[in-house]
Amino acid sequence: MVAVGEIEIRLSNGEVINASNLDYLRSLDAREYFCFAHINRPKGVNLPVLKEIFQKLLGRDLTKRLDKEDTYLLLTTTARQLVARLAEVISLKVSDEYQTNGVVLISEENAIKYRHNLTAFKGFCEKLSSYSSLAKVKNISWELEEVKRLLSYKEELEYVENIYHIVEELQTQVDYLTQAKQYVPNTIELFGLIDKTINKLPQVLEHCNDDEVENYKGELKEVRDKYIDWYMKQYTQHCISHIEENERLLLLNSNEYKMSEILSAANFLSVGNYESWKIHFQQLRVVDDNVNVKTLERTPYQGFNPLDYIGKEFKSVQTLKQELKDIYDGWILEMKAMIQEPAVKKNILLVSPDDKQFLENFIIDFELIDNHLNATRLISLLSQLYEGFSTIELSLSDLPGIFKRALTVEEAKEAFTKYIDKCCSGEDPSKVRIILK
């Protein structure tokens, strides 16, 4: 009868057992089950109190739906949700002064006040979450003024949550731009715009004015969109299309590329241009359809850093194809010239008749360097023919040490000749071959 709200039991110690606190029976001594002062009917529903609770927590008056089970389900569910929110705010958000970006948003004094008020509101909601039926609602004992006071703390809860929400939302967008800035050259206007927008955050947080916050959100979005447009432009400029990717793969599997890889190992050929060509070739990247505005809205980096490409020459597949042909053809001409050098011709008499015929056929294009066997055979023969010759490697990095100041043509010639003589010191000049790496 107590559980369904038909009676209340007043114990001998003065405690009243009703539908809202039946759990109290668990703590009683067994003898107290048979000793009580008296029983009486519960009080009626306190409609003003209940109306205040419904309006402040649920946003509407449900006092005319007290006979409906969903009324109590909604009330208890809302109360439990508030308890969870309050527990988080009390333990994590008002435990101390809240300061971010050099701005105090919740002072220590206010944190103490909020913690005290919200703890009281949490206890109220915990109690409210147990009123799951009409019988239990009839045992609400709060006075209207007390309920109004406790419910007013809901505004403090929402204020604290809103402060943290604003900071989190703005900080997320500022963090995006902070990361984006590292991919933008500091010499262009966009870099300054990003920097200026990021630095406005403390000022906006200090005022925390709704209009100012909304305006700042708009600025952050506008700058982010400008960055995305710029990033996409750089991405498409420095990536090749899917059609060009097919051309790149054909070039990678071409005979000229395979033969060039073999010939580049020869220590008597100048491979500087080829090494530079390989760098450009390896930098080619096919455009990824998954890199688009939507993915950039989530993160400012999509596996492509514009700073690695800006200011550097970008060569198309067609350009690289022609350059490789020129390098390969140049090496062929260079090796033909080497074979016909007077000093080398003497050594040709030392090779086998078959090898001699191979070299002669190579010179008149009867033997083409279009397969692995011919390429390695030619390198081996030239290495034999050049046995006894000294190879001196020069590098472009050596030039600053030679030309330390502005020189006349004659002075430049003299300085370079001295440098060559120094490199060849102790060698027979007729046996020296100089190549540029």
Side-chain angles (χ1 to χ4, degrees), residues 200-266:
K200 284 184 68 175
L201 178 61
Q203 176 188 336
V204 174
L205 291 178
E206 187 172 5
H207 299 155
C208 224
N209 175 276
D210 288 345
D211 290 338
E212 191 171 356
V213 168
E214 288 305 311
N215 288 336
Y216 187 51
K217 287 180 186 177
E219 286 183 44
L220 289 168
K221 183 180 183 304
E222 183 180 350
V223 176
R224 184 199 65 181
D225 291 346
K226 286 183 177 180
Y227 167 78
I228 291 173
D229 289 343
W230 175 84
Y231 188 96
M232 285 300 300
K233 181 180 179 182
Q234 299 302 317
Y235 183 72
T236 53
Q237 282 181 351
H238 295 93
C239 291
I240 59 176
S241 67
H242 293 291
I243 294 176
E244 290 175 310
E245 171 64 2
N246 291 332
E247 295 174 355
R248 187 192 74 85
L249 293 174
L250 288 174
L251 181 56
L252 186 63
N253 290 288
S254 68
N255 225 32
E256 284 177 340
Y257 178 77
K258 292 176 181 178
M259 294 306 102
S260 295
E261 278 291 279
I262 297 171
L263 295 175
S264 65

Side-chain angles (χ1 to χ4, degrees), residues 78-315:
T78 302
R80 282 193 292 271
Q81 290 171 347
L82 280 168
V83 169
R85 287 167 59 190
L86 285 159
E88 180 183 357
V89 168
I90 291 168
S91 63
L92 301 178
K93 298 180 179 178
V94 291
S95 58
D96 206 344
E97 175 184 276
Y98 178 42
Q99 180 180 147
T100 183
N101 291 280
V103 179
V104 176
L105 296 173
I106 298 177
S107 67
E108 185 176 356
E109 181 182 352
N110 281 338
I112 294 172
K113 181 186 77 170
Y114 294 151
R115 193 161 60 248
H116 176 270
N117 292 346
L118 295 180
T119 300
F121 185 41
K122 178 173 175 282
F124 171 76
C125 291
E126 286 173 341
K127 183 70 174 175
L128 199 59
S129 67
S130 68
Y131 291 122
S132 56
S133 67
L134 177 60
K136 293 183 178 181
V137 164
K138 288 179 179 179
N139 294 289
I140 287 179
S141 58
W142 296 300
E143 296 295 331
L144 180 59
E145 289 306 312
E146 183 184 8
V147 169
K148 286 183 176 180
R149 176 180 62 81
L150 290 168
L151 288 173
S152 69
Y153 299 149
K154 184 171 181 282
E155 294 180 2
E156 293 183 1
L157 169 67
E158 292 169 346
Y159 172 78
V160 173
E161 287 179 327
N162 187 51
I163 286 290
Y164 274 84
H165 175 72
I166 288 172
V167 171
E168 182 180 358
E169 187 176 2
L170 295 182
Q171 192 65 59
T172 297
Q173 295 181 58
V174 166
D175 288 346
Y176 178 101
L177 292 180
T178 301
Q179 183 184 352
K181 189 173 74 167
Q182 64 183 308
Y183 310 123
V184 180
N186 59 12
T187 55
I188 67 173
E189 183 181 352
L190 179 61
F191 183 92
L193 182 60
I194 292 175
D195 201 46
K196 179 181 176 183
T197 306
I198 289 172
N199 292 334
K200 284 184 68 175
L201 178 61
Q203 176 188 336
V204 174
L205 291 178
E206 187 172 5
H207 299 155
C208 224
N209 175 276
D210 288 345
D211 290 338
E212 191 171 356
V213 168
E214 288 305 311
N215 288 336
Y216 187 51
K217 287 180 186 177
E219 286 183 44
L220 289 168
K221 183 180 183 304
E222 183 180 350
V223 176
R224 184 199 65 181
D225 291 346
K226 286 183 177 180
Y227 167 78
I228 291 173
D229 289 343
W230 175 84
Y231 188 96
M232 285 300 300
K233 181 180 179 182
Q234 299 302 317
Y235 183 72
T236 53
Q237 282 181 351
H238 295 93
C239 291
I240 59 176
S241 67
H242 293 291
I243 294 176
E244 290 175 310
E245 171 64 2
N246 291 332
E247 295 174 355
R248 187 192 74 85
L249 293 174
L250 288 174
L251 181 56
L252 186 63
N253 290 288
S254 68
N255 225 32
E256 284 177 340
Y257 178 77
K258 292 176 181 178
M259 294 306 102
S260 295
E261 278 291 279
I262 297 171
L263 295 175
S264 65
N267 60 5
F268 47 77
L269 291 175
S270 177
V271 297
N273 286 343
Y274 183 66
E275 292 300 326
S276 176
W277 180 91
K278 283 184 71 174
I279 291 173
H280 284 287
F281 186 72
Q282 290 166 356
Q283 284 180 340
L284 292 177
R285 55 184 297 155
V286 63
V287 66
D288 185 351
D289 295 333
N290 291 320
V291 178
N292 51 51
V293 172
K294 286 188 177 180
T295 55
L296 279 166
E297 285 176 349
R298 292 194 293 270
T299 175
Y301 179 72
Q302 295 294 322
F304 167 81
N305 188 346
L307 294 181
D308 293 337
Y309 295 86
I310 291 175
K312 299 176 183 177
E313 185 181 9
F314 176 77
K315 297 182 178 181

